[in-house]
Each structure stands twice: as structure tokens, then as C-alpha cells.
Amino acid sequence: QVQLVESGGGLVQAGESLRLSCVASGIIFRANAMGWYRQAPGKQRELVARISTTGMTNYAGSVKGRFFISRDNAKNTVYLQMNSLKLDDTAVYYCKADPRFVGEDDYWGQGTQVTVSS
């Protein structure tokens, strides 16, 4: 059974930092590209950052230079370091394991709330 469990969300003030973690089980973690997505109220879910199996990263333009994704294959964990948080970063953040090949399912965590206040 595949499980992705996010943690690290919370309430912070603008300008502060948070680090999200996502621990995966039931998958061969090192074989999956991993991503962080977010969904704000009334908005569509959007990609925040993604890291490939080889460590290549890409970011949404709105977070580039502020957020950093990393992975620790030994711990089956992907992280999202979020710095200089803004009010617009308020959302539920989800971890996703990309499918390894066409036809395989992707997997999502349950989400963790990040709220940035002024």
C-alpha cells in the first residue's frame, strides 16, 4: 500500500520560513520523480516544485529563488524548504509521486496546510 505523508505545515508570518517533509512508503522511492503542489481556496492545484530521480529540479516562477526542493533517498523523504513566505503562498501543499512509466498510477499525500499571515 502506497502512502505519502506530509508534515511541517503551519501558521507563519510573511517573510518567515517553513520546511515541509513528505515520507513515502510502498514505492521504490528512488525510482520516482517527486513533486510538491499546492491548492489555494478557489484556485486550481498547481505545481510548485519537482525533483527528478537524478536530482534535477524545476520550480514555478512564483517561488523560484525562495523555495527549494530536495530528496533523501535513504529516508524515502522529499523536502520543500520555503523561505521569504508571502501571503500568496497560503495553500494546502501536497506531495506527489510521479508514475515511473505510462499507465502506472501517480500517488498523492493528504496535504498539509500552510498559512502565511501579515
Side-chain angles (χ1 to χ4, degrees):
Q1 181 182 359
V2 177
Q3 276 194 315
L4 301 177
V5 181
E6 301 101 331
S7 61
L11 172 63
V12 295
Q13 290 192 320
E16 294 184 339
S17 299
L18 275 177
R19 189 175 81 154
L20 306 182
S21 300
C22 170
V23 180
S25 59
I27 60 173
I28 304 173
F29 180 78
R30 65 181 183 277
N32 290 82
M34 301 294 297
W36 284 99
Y37 290 71
R38 68 185 180 187
Q39 187 166 19
K43 294 188 177 181
Q44 288 192 328
R45 192 173 296 188
E46 61 175 358
L47 174 67
V48 175
R50 183 181 180 274
I51 186 165
S52 74
T53 56
T54 59
M56 292 183 62
T57 59
N58 60 281
Y59 298 92
S62 59
V63 307
K64 213 166 190 178
R66 299 189 297 123
F67 289 13
F68 300 94
I69 188 171
S70 60
R71 64 190 297 160
D72 185 336
N73 289 341
K75 295 182 178 180
N76 283 10
T77 302
V78 60
Y79 303 98
L80 185 67
Q81 177 67 43
M82 305 187 294
N83 301 325
S84 303
L85 282 160
K86 303 177 179 180
L87 299 181
D88 286 349
D89 295 320
T90 295
V92 178
Y93 284 72
Y94 298 90
C95 170
K96 178 187 172 218
D98 284 352
R100 294 171 297 167
F101 48 81
V102 175
E104 186 181 47
D105 290 334
D106 53 11
Y107 299 101
W108 293 87
Q110 82 289 348
T112 186
Q113 176 71 47
V114 172
T115 303
V116 184
S117 65
S118 59

